Amino acid sequence: MNVSLDIYQTLAAAVAVYYIGVLLRLKIPFLRQYCIPAPVVGGILFAICNDILYTNGIWTYEQDTIMQNVCMMLFFTSIGYTASISLIRKGGSLVAKMALLTAILILCQNLIGIFFSHLFGLNPLMGLATGSIPMVGGHGTSGSFGPVLEGVGLDNATTIAFAAATFGLVGGSLIGGPTGEHLVRKFTLASSATEERLDPAISTEEVHKLEQAAREEKQAIDEEKRAGQSINNLRFMNALAHLLLAMGLGTVVSQLFVNIGLVFPGYIGSMLVAAIIRNIADYTHSYKVYQRESEVLGNLGLTIFLSCALMSLKLWQLTDLAIPMIVMLLSQILFIALFTNFVIFRFMGRNYEAAVMAAGTCGFGLGATPNAIANMSVMVERFGPAPTAFFVIPLVGALIVDFVNSSILTVFINLLD
């Protein structure tokens, strides 16, 4: 039996898969504990069923990809819209230092992947598909860069990257808490902050900058809560207009890059244009920024995109790569454990806040920012507040890491192509 869905049927199936994931997350604590998103839960379950039906000759499945690509573009454009240079600058040297360490982390993840690819005699692009694409990038970056890798010669790249991203989500959550706890106990660290103040070990100037940024963020959230008691159609329309404008102009920018011979996902141009739109607003105040609405629209796009992308996985294609993938992914977990202990902790201050940041880095270095928040939340529940860590890690994970990761991956892909 051949099942082929058109665009509307694909969207309906994606919604059904998403809500199956929501239901399973409610019923299975393990899925909530490790912050595995509902689209991933439902999508992987569908992919497993598809694998069983296909390998037993019962059916073949195909779906439309138009809305999947549109939703991917919408999500990454919304990420670009969050890239406020003024907010990043207010974070001071700690944010800059963490961003630099994250860039080194991304670089090392890809070098490790490429090394093991050569060791197993595989396409070196396999190293990227098990490197920072699924590790730091997660499922969103896996779904966007997977087709790019397939286009330059790596078969089944999307399936490989999604499988690695799922592995990373669990792995990052498993090692984050133990890493932070080990550092706290080994160096006899303690929280020296209350909920109202930041780490006193930071310089006075940095404390002022971080306090100001946190205060402005809280004020913005409070204003959004007051304004968000009811849905404001005009604000959502304006946010959507900004994103659609960036998506349209971004295709022109992306084509310019293609014309000079660069290979990267199509969303890069849209991310850059969205960042420009955001920062012009920040510096000129000539028009408003609709941060909360753009995040909602982007998350909606991510939900549909992930559901569609995971539904299309062909798990039977991973059979021959099982052993190399396990070795490569375990190596990534070992690396992140060493990197957070010996680099993140030491360079971020060797104090309690740095230990919490190390635990958070395990989360977004192998999974996603929600995993980082979950890891840090466990730490502060046991050992006390860490307000600086809760400012720096989400800021780097949400505003900086995707730009840095995409840039480094673009260089690697064009070198290896």
Side-chain angles (χ1 to χ4, degrees):
M1 176 176 62
N2 180 41
V3 177
S4 181
L5 305 185
D6 62 23
I7 183 172
Y8 305 108
Q9 294 165 345
T10 299
L11 284 174
V15 170
V17 162
Y18 165 71
Y19 280 106
I20 289 172
V22 171
L23 178 62
L24 290 174
R25 275 176 53 87
L26 290 173
K27 300 292 185 182
I28 305 174
F30 170 87
L31 300 175
R32 298 193 303 275
Q33 180 181 353
Y34 295 111
C35 304
I36 300 179
V40 175
V41 176
I44 290 177
L45 179 61
F46 182 92
I48 292 171
C49 294
N50 184 28
D51 180 53
I52 294 171
L53 293 171
Y54 176 83
T55 53
N56 285 280
I58 298 173
W59 81 347
T60 58
Y61 171 77
E62 295 177 2
Q63 65 185 40
D64 188 271
T65 60
I66 293 176
M67 282 306 299
Q68 174 181 325
N69 294 330
V70 171
C71 289
M72 176 191 74
M73 187 76 77
L74 179 65
F75 167 66
F76 281 102
T77 304
S78 73
I79 293 295
Y81 197 72
T82 67
S84 171
I85 294 175
S86 62
L87 181 57
I88 294 171
R89 288 176 61 188
K90 286 174 185 174
S93 63
L94 278 181
V95 173
K97 190 184 296 184
M98 190 67 202
L100 177 61
L101 294 177
T102 300
I104 295 172
L105 167 65
I106 292 169
L107 181 66
C108 291
Q109 283 182 333
N110 290 316
L111 291 175
I112 289 169
I114 292 171
F115 168 78
F116 279 101
S117 295
H118 284 295
L119 188 66
F120 286 106
L122 302 172
N123 187 327
L125 293 172
M126 176 76 174
L128 304 185
T130 56
S132 73
I133 288 177
M135 298 292 102
V136 166
H139 288 87
T141 304
S142 297
S144 58
F145 268 93
V148 175
L149 295 183
E150 290 170 359
V152 293
L154 179 62
D155 294 335
N156 313 319
T158 303
T159 304
I160 293 168
F162 270 124
T166 303
F167 182 92
L169 274 176
V170 177
S173 297
L174 285 174
I175 70 169
T179 295
E181 182 180 7
H182 165 73
L183 290 170
V184 167
R185 298 193 183 284
K186 179 179 179 181
F187 295 98
T188 319
L189 304 173
S191 172
S192 56
T194 67
E195 291 183 356
E196 288 73 35
R197 62 190 178 89
L198 291 155
D199 184 2
I202 307 173
S203 68
T204 303
E205 182 181 358
E206 284 198 82
V207 168
H208 176 72
K209 288 181 179 179
L210 289 170
E211 286 178 338
Q212 178 66 22
R215 187 160 50 247
E216 290 178 2
E217 185 176 0
K218 183 179 184 303
Q219 289 173 350
I221 291 172
D222 290 341
E223 289 175 5
E224 291 290 355
K225 285 181 178 178
R226 288 194 296 271
Q229 296 303 313
S230 61
I231 295 175
N232 189 314
N233 290 338
L234 180 60
R235 290 179 63 87
F236 268 99
M237 183 61 229
N238 290 340
L240 182 61
H242 285 178
L243 296 179
L244 292 178
L245 179 63
M247 288 166 66
L249 294 176
T251 60
V252 178
V253 175
S254 294
Q255 187 58 48
L256 292 175
F257 287 134
V258 171
N259 291 342
I260 62 176
L262 295 178
V263 179
F264 53 82
Y267 67 74
I268 296 296
S270 298
M271 283 182 69
L272 292 174
V273 174
I276 292 171
I277 292 174
R278 168 62 185 269
N279 286 283
I280 289 176
D282 285 349
Y283 282 96
T284 67
H285 305 288
S286 56
Y287 51 90
K288 291 184 178 180
V289 169
Y290 302 95
Q291 176 74 31
R292 187 174 180 83
E293 289 80 5
S294 68
E295 288 177 357
V296 170
L297 291 168
N299 287 333
L300 290 174
L302 178 62
T303 297
I304 300 298
F305 163 57
L306 283 181
S307 297
C308 290
L310 286 157
M311 286 164 57
S312 65
L313 290 185
K314 297 173 178 150
L315 297 179
W316 57 87
Q317 297 172 342
L318 296 179
T319 305
D320 295 335
L321 295 172
I323 293 177
M325 278 192 66
I326 290 172
V327 173
M328 295 167 83
L329 295 176
L330 289 176
S331 299
Q332 294 289 358
I333 287 182
L334 175 61
F335 164 71
I336 203 78
L338 295 173
F339 189 84
T340 52
N341 272 275
F342 296 103
V343 179
I344 296 293
F345 176 68
R346 282 163 171 74
F347 279 87
M348 295 307 291
R350 293 177 62 90
N351 55 19
Y352 172 69
E353 295 273 4
V356 177
M357 289 186 208
T361 304
C362 290
F364 83 77
L366 290 174
T369 303
N371 296 73
I373 300 299
N375 287 350
M376 295 193 298
S377 297
V378 172
M379 289 283 296
V380 300
E381 285 174 6
R382 294 190 60 185
F383 301 110
T388 306
F390 269 86
F391 181 83
V392 172
I393 293 296
L395 189 64
V396 172
L399 270 66
I400 298 173
V401 71
D402 281 311
F403 273 106
V404 175
N405 194 24
S406 296
S407 301
I408 292 175
L409 285 169
T410 298
V411 173
F412 270 104
I413 290 172
N414 284 277
L415 288 175
L416 296 174
D417 181 20

